[in-house]
């Protein structure tokens, strides 16, 4: 059977992504995916080959439509001094809203609140049985490298006062705190917020004024 009239692959992938995001690969059933996408099993398999093929497409769309738009201000030169702090503040706002409300209202899976509701889709995969798959491991590792590089560029803009080796160490710390927050948020939003606040405290732009060129103070004698 071919694809139904009006089929849009990207729309189906986004709908399936919400199911995988909420339930994980192993617990997301094919009937769940059929209901979410509005497609029959034969149409899903024709378009994506298998449940696993649909999952791989969901991971790719998560990177392209959720992760990279957030990171773009850190990846597009010239990077603003406050870009890294802005990225962390957006995550913290989403996590704090869930923690304060004590509930997880649906409908925001595709924005910053999606990670606050369900955690990071990629880090969830890493902690699940599907994370033992070589392809999934490679996708998660590449995501971590991309995050680390974006943090490095953000720190270079925010903290030019630091020596390169100090920024390198700080970049590792900030990246680890972000990963920890996104891994914890489903079970402990408060701890996730604490991790993001710790990252934010070190990532704000250097508040010290830059010296004015051409002016020097000389001791009177």
């Amino acid at each position: 059977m071919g694809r139904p009239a009006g089929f849009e692959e990207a729309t189906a992938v986004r709908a399936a992504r919400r199911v995988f995001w909420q339930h994980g690969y192993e617990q997301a059933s094919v009937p769940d995916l059929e209901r979410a996408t509005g497609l029959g099993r034969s149409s899903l398999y024709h378009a994506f080959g298998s449940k696993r093929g649909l999952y791989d497409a969901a991971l790719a769309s998560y990177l392209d439509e959720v992760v990279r738009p957030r990171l773009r201000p850190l990846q597009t030169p010239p990077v603003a001094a406050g870009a890294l702090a802005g990225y962390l503040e957006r995550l913290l706002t989403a996590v704090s809203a869930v923690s304060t409300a004590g509930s997880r209202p649906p409908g925001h899976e595709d924005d910053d609140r999606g990670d606050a509701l369900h955690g990071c889709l990629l880090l969830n995969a890493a902690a699940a049985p599907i994370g033992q798959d070589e392809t999934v491991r490679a996708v998660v590792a590449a995501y971590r490298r991309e995050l680390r590089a974006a943090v490095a560029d953000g720190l270079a803009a925010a903290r030019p006062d630091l020596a390169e080796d100090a920024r390198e160490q700080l970049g590792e710390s900030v990246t680890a705190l972000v990963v920890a927050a996104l891994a914890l948020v489903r079970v402990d939003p408060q701890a996730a917020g604490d991790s993001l606040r710790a990252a934010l405290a070190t990532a704000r732009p250097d508040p010290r004024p830059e010296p004015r060129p051409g002016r020097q103070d000389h001791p009177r004698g």
Side-chain angles (χ1 to χ4, degrees):
M1 181 183 295
R3 300 178 183 183
F7 171 87
E8 291 187 8
E9 184 171 309
T11 301
V13 169
R14 292 187 193 105
R17 185 174 73 206
R18 296 187 185 99
V19 176
F20 289 128
W21 205 346
Q22 183 173 2
H23 300 292
Y25 175 75
E26 289 79 15
Q27 298 302 316
S29 69
V30 173
D32 289 337
L33 296 167
E34 290 175 320
R35 284 190 291 271
T37 62
L39 300 175
R41 185 168 310 197
S42 61
S43 296
L44 282 175
Y45 280 27
H46 178 79
F48 303 103
S50 63
K51 173 185 169 182
R52 174 57 194 277
L54 181 55
Y55 183 69
D56 289 342
L59 291 182
S61 76
Y62 178 77
L63 279 166
D64 288 340
E65 297 180 0
V66 179
V67 172
R68 291 187 177 121
R70 295 177 186 164
L71 295 180
R72 194 165 295 127
L74 299 171
Q75 297 172 320
T76 306
V79 176
L84 180 56
Y87 165 76
L88 294 170
E89 285 167 351
R90 287 185 66 188
L91 288 181
L92 179 58
T93 297
V95 168
S96 298
V98 173
S99 179
T100 301
S103 62
R104 296 166 180 253
H108 300 294
E109 289 85 351
D110 293 334
D111 62 14
D112 288 316
R113 287 162 288 188
D115 278 352
L117 295 172
H118 304 305
C120 171
L121 181 61
L122 293 165
L123 296 179
N124 293 349
I130 191 67
Q132 298 301 311
D133 178 86
E134 182 178 352
T135 300
V136 173
R137 285 204 309 267
V139 171
V140 173
Y143 158 65
R144 203 272 182 188
R145 289 193 298 270
E146 186 170 354
L147 173 62
R148 175 67 183 84
V151 168
D153 288 343
L155 280 173
R159 300 297 307 272
D161 56 305
L162 295 178
E164 185 174 353
D165 59 343
R167 279 205 308 269
E168 180 72 18
Q169 293 175 7
L170 185 57
E172 285 294 332
S173 297
V174 170
T175 302
L177 287 166
V178 170
V179 170
L182 295 178
L184 282 170
V185 66
R186 296 186 78 176
V187 296
D188 194 342
Q190 182 60 51
D194 290 343
S195 291
L196 290 172
R197 278 184 282 271
L200 188 55
T202 64
R204 294 189 186 280
D206 178 18
R208 293 177 300 178
E210 295 183 4
R212 296 179 181 178
R215 177 178 176 180
Q216 295 181 347
D217 293 328
H218 299 285
R220 295 182 180 181

